[in-house]
Amino acid sequence: MAVRTYQDELKFIHRDDNVRFTIEKGFVPNMRVPGKFFVNDALRELVFDELEQHSKSKGIGGFLPAVKQIANVASLPGIVGYSLGMPDIHSGYGFSIGNVAAFDMADPESVVSPGGVGFDINCGVRLIRTNLSEKDVAPLKEQLAQSLFDHIPVGVGSQGVIPTSKKDLDDALEMGIDWSMREGYAWAEDKEHCEEFGRMLSADPSKVSARAKKRGLPQLGTLGAGNHYAEVQVVDEIYDKFAASKMGIDRTGQVVIFVHSGSRGLGHQVATDALLSMEKAMVSQKITLNDRQLACARINSKEGQEYLAAMAAAANYAWVNRQSMTFLVRQAFAKAFNSTPDDLDMHVIYDVSHNIAKVEEHLVNGQVKQLLVHRKGSTRAFPPHHPLIPVDYQFTGQPVLIGGTMGTCSYVLTGTEKGMLETFGSTCHGAGRAMSRNKSRRSLTHTEVIEDLKSKGISIRVASPKLLMEEAPDSYKDVTAVVDTCHAAGISKKTCKLRPIAVIKG
């Protein structure tokens, strides 16, 4: 198929308002619904430049631009509403990162696609509060950073300190955070403050391959590498005092801990296994696609059901992983401050996933429908009074945790009714890459990155200096522009801004 000129491509993309753009049917073949993406003027150029470069290269080499991927997802069987792109959108495998798509469970043609979840199943973020202030931590900041680095296994191939047998792993895959509670690594209230209450009941460990389990067994309670991190942060600004107070955030300067990790090698293997299985299933199920990276299967097929059961088990693994690190973070703080986690008020504010597919109820054309919502690089953001969010947050909406890049600010948002209606209760997940990892390594040196962090008063502990270049702030979009877009669109609402003072990375 001939690649259109950039100007011809633009004829299919319409600006609806300051932050909304619609991709009309016809932009790629076989679109069943339109596409929609959210960017403000600060982010717009990155999205359109990607498309322009693709047109100039005549579609040869590299990932498809994010807007093309949004449109290709709109061609999948059973999709409803729009194929959606959040403000941090960038090219990914099959689905772009920042893509949201929902499929009608009542439609026998509807599909599930591992590319719509990603390889790091239930990669997500947890926020833990303390009653400490920045002035309490300042004299001990370097020791605290070292203590966290010593307590939490980090880096590629890192192995956990939480003892697990094969039987323990199967139990963790089935039980999620309930396993952590049984083993003494969680407080009872931790479960209440997790998306899905830290456990997907549809999990079936028997659907997780032996190879995936072998990869996951030594890695429970590890941070990993790439864009995963643990940060000690301070509350920098509060925008919504009522919502913040419900989260236990009552002042600027308050110290919190941000943990970002996922299902490690186990989740990656589950995704790889499913893609191989679904490539074969598409032939028998007579599914044709615009992009083979969108490999999928009918939701109700054997391959679809097996993937969803294995994906749920991997999601449970990720919640146990973040819970295990929460246990280690509490131990590190207790040791540093000669106190107890309870006396330091180290409660979990919330834990969100941003790579997952889940069955949810949503309004579509005025009708309540059961949908399989794929969120890849996107966070669930349910509104006030939704039955699936904790009692504590019934009047504020679900907390939404948006991680910045290494050394930049992060944000806490809340879900809105507008987001529920327009984006299936979804919003952004972070800054989103603006530069490839290879380009980052070519453009920056690790000494430059370390000096920049030190100049901002940020302590840093990292297992591999090479990763510092890949994850440097210049490699990413401006997280503030991303969050401001979501706030302006009304799909989530700003609560507070967090500033890092210590960073732990793989």
Side-chain angles (χ1 to χ4, degrees), residues 15-165:
R15 186 169 196 160
D16 303 324
D17 61 21
N18 288 341
V19 293
R20 287 173 177 81
F21 291 79
T22 295
I23 305 168
E24 298 293 347
K25 291 182 183 181
F27 185 59
V28 301
N30 310 314
M31 286 176 69
R32 297 163 190 260
V33 297
K36 181 188 284 190
F37 61 97
F38 300 81
V39 286
N40 65 7
D41 288 339
L43 299 168
R44 178 182 176 278
E45 188 177 335
L46 286 165
V47 173
F48 283 92
D49 183 58
E50 198 178 51
L51 179 62
E52 185 174 15
Q53 294 308 314
H54 176 75
S55 297
K56 284 180 179 175
S57 69
K58 304 200 182 302
I60 298 167
F63 277 122
L64 285 172
V67 286
K68 286 282 185 186
Q69 291 187 317
I70 292 170
N72 281 336
V73 169
S75 72
L76 290 174
I79 190 169
V80 298
Y82 290 85
S83 173
L84 297 158
M86 298 299 115
D88 44 347
I89 196 154
H90 56 286
S91 293
Y93 185 92
F95 282 59
S96 54
I97 295 155
N99 210 162
V100 177
F103 298 82
D104 187 353
M105 293 292 290
D107 183 347
E109 298 291 300
S110 287
V111 296
V112 57
S113 175
V117 171
F119 284 95
D120 192 0
I121 295 165
N122 191 5
C123 182
V125 188
R126 174 172 293 207
L127 186 62
I128 306 157
R129 74 179 188 232
T130 75
N131 54 18
L132 297 165
S133 294
E134 187 174 9
K135 61 180 174 52
D136 301 320
V137 172
L140 299 170
K141 190 170 64 172
E142 287 298 329
Q143 297 98 301
L144 184 60
Q146 188 61 46
S147 180
L148 287 166
F149 190 70
D150 292 341
H151 275 73
I152 303 171
V154 300
V156 177
S158 53
Q159 299 201 354
V161 294
I162 304 292
T164 39
S165 64

Side-chain angles (χ1 to χ4, degrees), residues 203-495:
D204 183 349
S206 73
K207 304 304 181 191
V208 177
S209 70
R211 179 169 172 76
K213 289 177 181 177
K214 184 178 179 182
R215 292 181 68 179
L217 186 60
Q219 293 184 331
L220 204 56
T222 63
L223 193 62
N227 63 348
H228 295 154
Y229 59 83
E231 286 188 351
V232 182
Q233 303 175 334
V234 295
V235 178
D236 203 41
E237 292 182 58
I238 296 175
Y239 309 106
D240 184 335
K241 287 185 178 178
F242 176 72
S245 69
K246 290 293 181 184
M247 300 175 198
I249 294 173
D250 56 15
R251 65 194 185 281
T252 56
Q254 186 174 344
V255 172
V256 296
I257 305 99
F258 212 85
V259 177
H260 177 207
S261 191
S263 51
R264 307 288 278 112
L266 182 139
H268 196 285
Q269 192 63 48
V270 166
T272 302
D273 293 341
L275 285 166
L276 292 171
S277 159
M278 289 185 184
E279 280 182 4
K280 295 173 186 171
M282 285 194 303
V283 177
S284 62
Q285 295 175 25
K286 297 181 173 56
I287 299 171
T288 55
L289 302 173
N290 290 348
D291 179 2
R292 64 185 296 270
Q293 290 186 359
L294 292 172
C296 57
R298 309 285 181 212
I299 293 172
N300 292 320
S301 69
K302 175 177 175 285
E303 294 82 3
Q305 288 298 300
E306 286 185 350
Y307 169 67
L308 287 171
M311 182 215 70
N316 287 346
Y317 178 98
W319 277 307
V320 172
N321 194 33
R322 289 197 288 277
Q323 185 60 50
S324 300
M325 285 186 281
T326 300
F327 173 81
L328 297 170
V329 165
R330 285 168 172 161
Q331 297 304 307
F333 266 75
K335 183 178 177 183
F337 291 95
N338 193 26
S339 186
T340 66
D342 198 34
D343 286 342
L344 292 171
D345 193 37
M346 296 189 73
H347 289 275
V348 173
I349 289 176
Y350 208 60
D351 180 298
V352 294
S353 167
H354 48 235
N355 277 359
I356 207 159
K358 292 190 299 184
V359 178
E360 298 171 356
E361 283 191 350
H362 291 276
L363 270 178
V364 180
N365 299 325
Q367 284 187 305
V368 176
K369 285 186 174 287
Q370 283 225 318
L371 307 177
L372 182 65
V373 183
H374 293 60
R375 295 188 182 94
K376 178 182 181 180
S378 169
T379 311
R380 191 188 78 174
F382 280 177
H385 313 300
H386 195 284
L388 292 181
I389 62 175
V391 172
D392 304 14
Y393 304 132
Q394 280 292 310
F395 293 107
T396 63
Q398 175 209 310
V400 179
L401 311 175
I402 307 302
T405 60
M406 185 173 59
T408 66
C409 58
S410 298
Y411 286 87
V412 182
L413 316 178
T414 50
T416 65
E417 192 60 48
K418 189 169 190 178
M420 196 67 184
L421 295 172
E422 190 172 2
T423 62
F424 305 109
S426 311
T427 191
C428 63
H429 88 299
R433 291 198 79 87
M435 190 188 295
S436 73
R437 295 183 191 280
N438 286 335
K439 190 173 179 183
S440 299
R441 286 197 294 269
R442 291 194 300 268
S443 304
L444 304 157
T445 69
H446 71 272
T447 49
E448 288 172 335
V449 177
I450 288 172
E451 287 307 313
D452 181 57
L453 291 169
K454 282 182 178 176
S455 72
K456 295 173 181 172
I458 299 169
S459 300
I460 175 81
R461 296 293 185 279
V462 64
S464 170
K466 180 183 77 170
L467 292 178
L468 280 178
M469 288 99 81
E470 292 182 3
E471 300 303 319
D474 288 351
S475 303
Y476 284 84
K477 295 172 184 171
D478 177 7
V479 69
T480 299
V482 169
V483 166
D484 285 348
T485 302
C486 293
H487 187 82
I491 60 174
S492 49
K493 182 182 173 189
K494 291 197 290 189
T495 296

